[in-house]
Amino acid sequence: EAIATAGGFPALVARLRTELEEEQVASSGVLWWLVENDAKRREMLVEAGGLAPLVELLTQHLSIEARAHAVGAIGVLAGSGATYLRPIADAGGIPPLVALLSVGTGDAENAAVKILANMLADDDNKVDIMAAGGIAPLVKHCADNVSEEIRADAAGALASLALDDTTRVPIAEAGGIAPLLRHLDRQSRSGRTGQENASAALLHLVSAVPL
C-alpha cells in the first residue's frame, strides 16, 4: 500500500524500460502484485502509462521472468471487465499475445490464451485478433495435449470469434471443427465449460460451414 500511495507507480513503470534485467524483473513483478487484487491500483497503473511498457516486455527476450510478470499484470487487467480491453489493444497488445501462443513458454503461453479469450468480449478486438493470425494457434490450443482449462478458454475464444460471419470459414479452414467436436466426446478430458464453449462455437459455425 505504501508503494501505491507514495506515487510509486510512475517510478516502477519507468523501470520497465531499463536495460537491466533484474530491474525489469523486479518492477514487473511488483506491479503485477500491486494490481492483482485492487481495482484502484489498476487505474493507477494505466494512468501512469504502464500498459505500453508491459506490452513491450512481451516482445523482448531479455528476461523470460519479466515477460511472465508482464503477462500476469496484463491478464489481471483483461480479466477485470470491459474497462481495459480496448486500452490493451490500443497499446499494441494483441499481436504479441497471439505470438505467445506459438513461441511462449508454460504459464505465459497459457495466460495468453486466457487473455485473448477475455479480449474478445470487445467486438473490435475480433478483427485485430484475426488480423494478427490468432485463429490457427487458438485452434491448436483446443487440442488434447493441453490442460482442460486452456482447452476451454481456447474453445471459448473460438466461440466468440465465430459470432462474426467473417471468421467462420477461417476457423474451419484452420482445422477448428475436429478439435471442437472432440470436446463433446464423453471420453475427452473436456470439462463442462469446455463442452459448452465448443457447442457454442459449433452452433455458430454450422450456419456457414458444412460439418
Side-chain angles (χ1 to χ4, degrees):
E1 188 65 36
I3 295 174
T5 56
F9 275 96
L12 288 166
V13 167
R15 284 175 171 79
L16 295 176
R17 285 183 164 135
T18 181
E19 294 183 0
L20 299 175
E21 178 180 350
E22 59 269 24
E23 288 196 15
Q24 286 187 337
V25 171
S27 298
S28 57
V30 171
L31 287 170
W32 182 14
W33 179 82
L34 284 170
V35 302
E36 190 158 19
N37 296 303
D38 194 304
K40 180 61 178 176
R41 291 177 187 170
R42 293 169 204 151
E43 294 178 12
M44 294 170 72
L45 170 62
V46 174
E47 289 170 359
L51 270 178
L54 284 171
V55 166
E56 289 167 12
L57 286 179
L58 302 184
T59 64
Q60 294 179 9
H61 301 287
L62 179 62
S63 171
I64 293 175
E65 190 176 0
R67 184 169 62 188
H69 291 167
V71 172
I74 292 170
V76 170
L77 294 174
S80 300
T83 303
Y84 302 111
L85 299 182
R86 197 59 216 170
I88 292 169
D90 290 341
I94 289 176
L97 286 166
V98 169
L100 280 177
L101 300 186
S102 300
V103 301
T105 55
D107 292 342
E109 181 178 0
N110 293 341
V113 175
K114 184 176 289 293
I115 293 170
L116 289 169
N118 287 330
M119 294 286 285
L120 284 162
D122 185 318
D123 286 342
D124 290 338
N125 290 335
K126 294 179 181 179
V127 174
D128 294 341
I129 290 173
M130 184 175 174
I135 288 178
L138 285 170
V139 167
K140 182 192 76 171
H141 282 78
C142 275
D144 292 330
N145 58 344
V146 296
S147 72
E148 177 182 312
E149 181 180 3
I150 298 307
R151 293 180 70 212
D153 288 335
L158 292 175
S160 295
L161 284 167
L163 285 168
D164 192 314
D165 292 344
T166 63
T167 63
R168 293 171 187 162
V169 171
I171 290 171
E173 291 177 343
I177 291 174
L180 288 168
L181 284 171
R182 285 198 293 274
H183 275 270
L184 307 184
D185 189 330
R186 291 182 179 180
Q187 302 303 314
S188 78
R189 295 186 298 106
S190 296
R192 182 170 182 175
T193 300
Q195 291 175 343
E196 290 175 350
N197 289 345
S199 294
L202 290 165
L203 180 63
H204 303 320
L205 289 170
V206 73
S207 65
V209 181
L211 299 181

